[in-house]
Amino acid sequence: MRIIKLICFLLLFFSFSSQAQSLLARNISLNIEKQKLGKVLSMIEEQGAFHFSYNSNILPTDSLVSIHDNSLNISEALDKILNHRFEYRQSGNFIIIRYAPLELVLLVNESVGNADLYTITGQIVDKQLQKPIADASIYEKNLLVSEISDGNGYFSMRLKNITQPISLTVSKENYKSTVTHFLAEVNVIHKKDQVSERFISGNLDQVEKTWLGNALVTTGQKIQSINIGGFISKAPFQFALLPGLNSHGSLSGQVVNKFSFNAIGAYSAGVDGGEIGLIFNIDKSNVQYFQFAGAFNLVGGNVRGAQIGGLFNQVIGEVKAAQIALGFNAVGKSFEGLQVGGIYNRVRQDFSGMQVSVGLNAIGKRLSGFQVGALNLVAEKQEGLQIGVGANLVNGKSSGMQIAGIANLNQQSEGVNVAVLGNYAANTARGLQTGVINYAGKLKGAQLGIINISAQNDGYSIGLINIALNGYHKFSLATNESTTYNVAYKGGSKRLYNMLMFGMNSKAGEKIYTAGLGFGKEMRLFSKLSLNPEISSQYVYQGSWDYLNLLNKFELPLNIRLNKWLAIQGGPSINVYYTRQNNATGNFGLLQQKHQDFSFSNQRYTGWIGWNVGLVVL
């Protein structure tokens, strides 16, 4: 019986060993002279049909390498170009390169037991110096049992319910990992749901570097993370009271669970199913499907599915999920989905979907979708709909629609900007700006407001006051059949300019005063000749504010430029006068008597053909 078990064990061992060495044992050919290490590694990847994973801060990728050998395997090639100072391990189609210039040894003091209980005690020492190594990780990856060597390198491990040959892995930072096999009195059983080890690339200690991670993750779990790194196991279930009190012990930070229930809180490698923490959850890598915490969730990798935190959710990676917190949500990379934060939402890269908060929404790069908050901030580009109870700020291009209770502030605007107070586009504004005050560095769309300002106006400004700092500015001094003296400021663009108009008639018995607004367009006929159709409406004051008197004009003056700053103008006009004032009162009755009069109830209209002649200061 013992012989049969030994044969089974050896078959399993050699099958696992051959599988693990399949990539490293592949033969390649290298004839390289003074090439950068990074390029050489890419050539080995191409020949071996796999990928490397390594920390570029440790591996000297800019160093020059020379090697000429037509028959060597990948492991031998790496030893030659890296001078035996690194360790290589396979995970899937990846070879992981780990800095490990030193070697360690597991000295077994005692290994005894059976399938129900097996005990191993020993010591971890430096192979060259024969000195004990403290804080080394010793773990059995199938049983998810681990220990950490003490100050003298000693450890003791108790293994229960053994159904597979025991393989103890010893790992320590800067040391090559070693595996020691033990044959217990066991019946070898193949389990479909057997725990398997895999590798996760990237910097997995970021959670531990946060304030909460550093405070709540135990020293033992931090040591395991340093020693074992990205080699992660899977388990169907975890129960935890605290990060240091759980069903996986100090190895919990190296285990991805299908489901984890945490009475207070826990620290895990990740979740591939569901996790419930009555207070908190901390995960160093990815979380999938569902995560709930009464207080907070802290995730070092990516999140997929649904994440709910009573106070806040903090994810260092990217999120494709529905993320809800009464306090705030913070995402280190991009986000897709629905994000609801009571006070604050922060995404450091792109956002796609819907983002809602009572307070602040901040996006580090691009927004594509719908954003609602008291204040919305986008660093690069906004597409879609943005609603700010207070303001919307895009430090780049706004494309789509913005609605703000106070103001929309953009570097560049395309689309529709609606604000109660004002809109500001530092550079080009296309589309529509509508607010009390609108400003655009270069207007190529339309402005609708009380005051419209642009540095350069190539669009349309419609408002009480339109100012184009480097655009269309003209003053006209004129006389017409109704008022002797008239002055008007014309500002905006040639396509559409606004007119602010004042007039008066000072003759005794005919004193009237006019003020109003108008719009015009310059149509160039020749180099010094243009036609300017203009429409306006002016209030007519005749000594009393009790009546509404409006003089509406359509004028078609011809402008002849005399020099760079002066032109003469003149042309016909069509006039329609409306008044509620009786014929017997007011000084405007004189004009009414000269023209045909028609009445509707108590409203009176008079129309006539008039003229306008004057000077235009350019």
Side-chain angles (χ1 to χ4, degrees):
M1 186 67 181
R2 289 177 178 270
I3 294 175
I4 294 174
K5 292 177 181 178
L6 178 61
I7 293 172
C8 292
F9 167 74
L10 292 174
L11 289 173
L12 285 169
F13 171 73
F14 285 117
S15 66
F16 293 153
S17 178
S18 63
Q19 182 181 3
Q21 296 299 319
S22 59
L23 291 181
L24 292 168
R26 291 180 183 177
N27 290 327
I28 59 173
S29 176
L30 294 173
N31 287 288
I32 296 166
E33 185 66 30
K34 292 184 178 180
Q35 295 285 342
K36 288 186 177 182
L37 175 59
K39 185 176 181 181
V40 175
L41 292 177
S42 296
M43 294 172 64
I44 296 175
E45 284 180 327
E46 185 175 352
Q47 288 193 44
F50 67 93
H51 298 285
F52 283 117
S53 178
Y54 54 84
N55 187 341
S56 59
N57 294 326
I58 297 176
L59 203 63
T61 54
D62 289 332
S63 62
L64 298 179
V65 173
S66 297
I67 182 171
H68 301 276
D69 201 322
N70 293 323
S71 180
L72 73 169
N73 61 41
I74 293 173
S75 180
E76 294 169 340
L78 292 174
D79 280 340
K80 284 189 175 183
I81 64 179
L82 298 177
N83 298 319
H84 299 271
R85 298 180 63 82
F86 290 80
E87 176 186 54
Y88 331 116
R89 295 177 67 178
Q90 177 183 338
S91 178
N93 200 40
F94 284 85
I95 290 179
I96 298 92
I97 301 177
R98 176 175 171 266
Y99 182 66
L102 307 175
E103 295 183 72
L104 53 77
V105 176
L106 168 60
L107 301 178
V108 179
N109 295 336
E110 182 182 39
S111 61
V112 61
N114 52 41
D116 296 324
L117 178 62
Y118 198 87
T119 302
I120 301 172
T121 60
Q123 185 183 29
I124 312 301
V125 298
D126 186 290
K127 184 176 180 180
Q128 285 73 32
L129 302 177
Q130 292 298 307
K131 291 184 177 181
I133 299 175
D135 295 331
S137 297
I138 308 100
Y139 61 98
E140 216 294 333
K141 62 183 180 182
N142 290 319
L143 298 175
L144 294 180
V145 178
S146 68
E147 293 292 340
I148 297 174
S149 61
D150 63 18
N152 294 316
Y154 288 106
F155 74 94
S156 178
M157 181 174 288
R158 292 163 57 87
L159 305 171
K160 298 179 181 180
N161 302 320
I162 303 166
T163 58
Q164 297 290 324
I166 299 168
S167 298
L168 285 192
T169 302
V170 182
S171 295
K172 172 67 178 175
E173 186 181 20
N174 297 333
Y175 282 85
K176 292 181 175 65
S177 298
T178 181
V179 180
T180 303
H181 302 278
F182 298 84
L183 184 62
E185 293 288 339
V186 299
N187 293 317
V188 177
I189 300 173
H190 178 69
K191 298 174 65 178
K192 292 183 179 179
D193 60 347
Q194 178 181 348
V195 175
S196 61
E197 185 183 59
R198 62 190 177 96
F199 180 78
I200 298 178
S201 61
N203 188 2
L204 298 182
D205 63 350
Q206 294 185 73
V207 163
E208 297 171 4
K209 291 180 179 179
T210 63
W211 180 84
L212 281 170
N214 183 57
L216 296 174
V217 176
T218 67
T219 301
Q221 289 166 330
K222 293 174 184 176
I223 292 172
Q224 300 282 34
S225 295
I226 293 171
N227 293 338
I228 303 175
F231 288 93
I232 304 297
S233 295
K234 287 186 175 182
F237 179 78
Q238 174 184 253
F239 174 78
L241 179 64
L242 290 167
L245 296 174
N246 63 79
S247 55
H248 301 322
S250 63
L251 202 62
S252 67
Q254 303 301 126
V255 180
V256 174
N257 302 288
K258 281 287 185 183
F259 180 77
S260 179
F261 178 78
N262 311 315
I264 295 178
Y267 177 51
S268 306
V271 177
D272 192 18
E275 183 174 44
I276 297 175
L278 299 185
I279 305 298
F280 67 87
N281 300 306
I282 303 176
D283 296 273
K284 71 192 302 181
S285 64
N286 300 335
V287 170
Q288 289 194 109
Y289 305 124
F290 179 74
Q291 186 178 52
F292 170 84
F296 69 87
N297 294 302
L298 177 58
V299 178
N302 305 323
V303 173
R304 303 286 186 274
Q307 185 182 53
I308 302 173
L311 296 178
F312 69 88
N313 297 305
Q314 182 177 353
V315 180
I316 295 175
E318 65 179 24
V319 175
K320 292 183 179 180
Q323 189 180 53
I324 301 172
L326 297 178
F328 70 88
N329 296 301
V331 178
K333 294 183 179 179
S334 61
F335 186 100
E336 290 184 22
L338 170 65
Q339 188 178 54
V340 180
I343 300 174
Y344 171 72
N345 290 313
R346 167 68 176 172
V347 177
R348 292 191 176 274
Q349 295 184 7
D350 296 341
F351 183 96
S352 178
M354 181 175 180
Q355 188 180 53
V356 180
S357 78
V358 176
L360 172 67
N361 293 313
I363 296 173
K365 290 188 176 180
R366 299 186 175 192
L367 164 68
S368 177
F370 182 40
Q371 188 181 48
V372 181
L375 177 63
N376 297 313
L377 306 177
V378 178
E380 291 186 4
K381 186 177 181 180
Q382 171 256 329
E383 295 179 338
L385 175 60
Q386 192 177 41
I387 300 176
V389 177
N392 298 307
L393 172 61
V394 178
N395 192 26
K397 181 188 288 186
S398 170
S399 178
M401 185 172 187
Q402 288 182 315
I403 300 174
I406 298 176
N408 295 307
L409 308 173
N410 306 300
Q411 285 293 317
Q412 188 172 341
S413 174
E414 295 183 358
V416 179
N417 302 142
V418 180
V420 174
L421 179 59
N423 298 289
Y424 176 88
N427 298 320
T428 303
R430 294 179 172 87
L432 174 65
Q433 287 183 320
T434 176
V436 175
I437 303 173
N438 300 302
Y439 174 85
K442 186 175 183 179
L443 180 64
K444 287 186 171 291
Q447 291 175 321
L448 177 62
I450 304 300
I451 301 175
N452 299 308
I453 304 171
S454 59
Q456 180 178 339
N457 193 326
D458 294 326
Y460 303 92
S461 297
I462 303 172
L464 181 63
I465 299 174
N466 299 307
I467 301 173
L469 301 177
N470 297 316
Y472 194 91
H473 301 283
K474 293 185 178 181
F475 289 92
S476 68
L477 302 172
T479 185
N480 59 48
E481 80 290 345
S482 301
T483 50
T484 307
Y485 306 105
N486 297 276
V487 60
Y489 166 74
K490 304 177 181 182
S493 69
K494 293 180 180 180
R495 296 178 179 179
L496 181 68
Y497 56 81
N498 171 252
M499 298 186 298
L500 188 61
M501 310 169 68
F502 300 95
M504 65 175 292
N505 194 340
S506 60
K507 292 182 180 180
E510 298 182 11
K511 287 186 178 181
I512 58 173
Y513 301 90
T514 65
L517 297 173
F519 298 95
K521 178 180 177 65
E522 182 175 301
M523 302 170 62
R524 183 67 60 88
L525 302 178
F526 299 101
S527 60
K528 293 186 178 182
L529 185 65
S530 66
L531 188 64
N532 289 49
E534 297 173 346
I535 186 170
S536 63
S537 181
Q538 301 177 70
Y539 179 82
V540 180
Y541 177 73
Q542 303 183 95
S544 173
W545 297 101
D546 295 336
Y547 303 97
L548 178 63
N549 305 307
L550 293 178
L551 176 61
N552 304 293
K553 285 178 172 282
F554 175 73
E555 300 178 273
L556 197 63
L558 193 66
N559 281 260
I560 303 173
R561 179 176 292 187
L562 302 178
N563 52 41
K564 290 183 177 180
W565 56 271
L566 186 64
I568 59 174
Q569 73 171 16
S573 66
I574 298 175
N575 300 264
V576 176
Y577 175 64
Y578 165 82
T579 182
R580 287 176 179 267
Q581 197 163 332
N582 296 329
N583 289 340
T585 60
N587 297 321
F588 215 76
L590 180 63
L591 287 178
Q592 290 177 311
Q593 295 173 8
K594 293 181 179 180
H595 304 285
Q596 184 179 359
D597 183 22
F598 54 94
S599 302
F600 298 94
S601 184
N602 64 337
Q603 300 177 357
R604 305 183 64 81
Y605 294 88
T606 302
W608 68 89
I609 303 296
W611 51 267
N612 182 294
V613 176
L615 297 175
V616 179
V617 180
L618 307 177

